[in-house]
Amino acid sequence: MSKSTDLKTLQQELQQALSLINDYGAERGDKSPAPQEFSRFDNTQSLLERCASVVNNEKNDVKPTLRIIHHFACSGGSLISKCLAAQSNVFLLSEIHPTTRHGNDWSKAVYSPRDIVTQAYYGAIPQAEKLAEEIFVDSIIKTEKHTRNLGGTLVIRAHSHADYCMKTPPPNLDTVTRLLQPHFDIKQLVTVRNPIDSFLSLRVNGWVHFHPNTFDEYCQRLLRFLNAFDKPQIAYYEDFVLEPELQLRKYAELLSISVTPEAIDYMDIMNVSGDSGRSGSLIEPRKRKPLNESYKQEILESESFKELCQYYKVQPLSE
């Protein structure tokens, strides 16, 4: 075969390759110009540029990583979140939920100049919840990118109570994960405390917002919540207070963040909403609050609690 034939064959193959690359780009919405015919061999530079463009586009398609912590109220979530927030270059958004109206006095408008969603509710904008979800997603995307570009790691503490412990039926997948999953590679940490203790505190604080106000109903909702996650993502408050430094390392590994256990000593300087439970900086097990006979009977009769004890690391009521 002559050199001219070899060159012509090579040019044809290069042209076909470039056409395939452009077809691939068109399918993905790439608006690069249509391929030009090869008239000279040095036009292979165009092919190299297009190959580089495809590689760069593939890199850009990699989802950024986002860390989310989930837990029920009165289950030690604030304590664990503060310990993670105290780590170097970790930044926590606490008790986040896009559409909940819990916590506001809706009988009158309050001063909230930065809160577009609340103002949308006040202004009776149609489909305000849909708008709230869109604003939430856009805000998290921008906040995560901003934090990452500055060398930081963003962690979200989801307000799970808004999904699972209100009057509305609990979902199969929490709202925060549902909305952010298409945009991020999400790493989840789910913390749980024995429901005997967490529900008792919920009642004492007057935070039972569902009906019926029973221990079994609470355990049903907790089961729905936990069943959405894989067991390796679930951590237990009782383990944390026994070995905080060891457990913190495990949480950090699960979330792919750097951790210095000594940072626990500085957790009290972290400004975290929902920090209404334990006081003092000493992390250690504490004695269970007294249980009256009526509550003990609720616990013993709850089928949902028995299921929690069977499938999760939850200790039954000791006699």
Side-chain angles (χ1 to χ4, degrees), residues 188-218:
Q188 313 267 30
L189 172 65
V190 185
T191 71
V192 62
R193 184 184 183 188
N194 192 308
I196 293 174
D197 302 300
S198 57
F199 184 64
L200 179 60
S201 293
L202 211 65
R203 274 183 169 170
V204 170
N205 288 319
W207 293 343
V208 182
H209 301 115
F210 53 82
H211 183 80
N213 176 355
T214 64
F215 178 71
D216 188 67
E217 176 68 19
Y218 177 77

Side-chain angles (χ1 to χ4, degrees), residues 37-57:
E37 292 296 326
F38 281 101
S39 58
R40 295 185 303 155
F41 183 72
D42 60 6
N43 275 4
T44 54
Q45 181 61 32
S46 174
L47 177 60
L48 295 174
E49 290 171 353
R50 293 292 290 125
C51 287
S53 175
V54 168
V55 171
N56 289 333
N57 286 337

Side-chain angles (χ1 to χ4, degrees), residues 110-249:
V110 297
Y111 181 67
S112 54
R114 297 178 303 276
D115 189 347
I116 301 301
V117 172
T118 298
Q119 290 295 331
Y121 288 143
Y122 290 155
I125 291 179
Q127 300 183 26
E129 289 208 351
K130 180 176 183 294
L131 173 63
E133 290 186 353
E134 293 173 354
I135 290 174
F136 172 75
V137 171
D138 289 344
S139 297
I140 296 300
I141 289 173
K142 287 181 170 60
T143 303
E144 188 283 327
K145 184 178 180 180
H146 173 84
T147 306
R148 174 164 39 90
N149 287 343
L150 293 174
T153 298
L154 183 68
V155 178
I156 290 178
R157 179 190 180 199
H159 191 224
S160 305
H161 187 87
D163 277 331
Y164 292 94
C165 294
M166 304 298 288
K167 294 179 180 179
T168 53
N172 290 322
L173 181 66
D174 70 280
T175 301
V176 172
T177 300
R178 173 177 61 81
L179 292 176
L180 297 179
Q181 215 165 35
H183 307 280
F184 294 96
D185 172 20
I186 297 180
K187 295 186 179 297
Q188 313 267 30
L189 172 65
V190 185
T191 71
V192 62
R193 184 184 183 188
N194 192 308
I196 293 174
D197 302 300
S198 57
F199 184 64
L200 179 60
S201 293
L202 211 65
R203 274 183 169 170
V204 170
N205 288 319
W207 293 343
V208 182
H209 301 115
F210 53 82
H211 183 80
N213 176 355
T214 64
F215 178 71
D216 188 67
E217 176 68 19
Y218 177 77
C219 289
Q220 283 186 38
R221 291 167 179 262
L222 182 58
L223 274 169
R224 176 75 66 91
F225 167 68
L226 293 176
N227 287 344
F229 301 98
D230 297 328
K231 286 189 178 179
Q233 297 173 315
I234 299 173
Y236 295 88
Y237 169 79
E238 290 81 6
D239 291 341
F240 178 73
V241 294
L242 279 174
E243 301 175 303
E245 292 187 5
L246 174 63
Q247 296 303 319
L248 191 61
R249 287 193 180 95

Side-chain angles (χ1 to χ4, degrees), residues 194-196 199 203 214-217 219 288 291-309 315-319:
N194 192 308
I196 293 174
F199 184 64
R203 274 183 169 170
T214 64
F215 178 71
D216 188 67
E217 176 68 19
C219 289
R288 172 171 284 168
L291 309 179
N292 61 38
E293 291 304 316
S294 175
Y295 187 44
K296 287 181 181 179
Q297 194 62 33
E298 276 193 80
I299 296 167
L300 292 173
E301 293 177 357
S302 173
E303 294 300 321
S304 297
F305 179 63
K306 293 174 185 175
E307 192 173 344
L308 280 166
C309 294
Q315 294 297 318
L317 181 64
S318 58
E319 299 295 339

Side-chain angles (χ1 to χ4, degrees), residues 1-7:
M1 183 179 293
S2 66
K3 290 184 179 180
S4 60
T5 303
D6 288 342
L7 180 58

Side-chain angles (χ1 to χ4, degrees), residues 4-20:
S4 60
T5 303
D6 288 342
L7 180 58
K8 185 176 181 179
T9 299
L10 178 59
Q11 288 176 336
Q12 289 174 345
E13 291 176 350
L14 290 173
Q15 181 63 48
Q16 290 171 356
L18 186 54
S19 297
L20 287 172

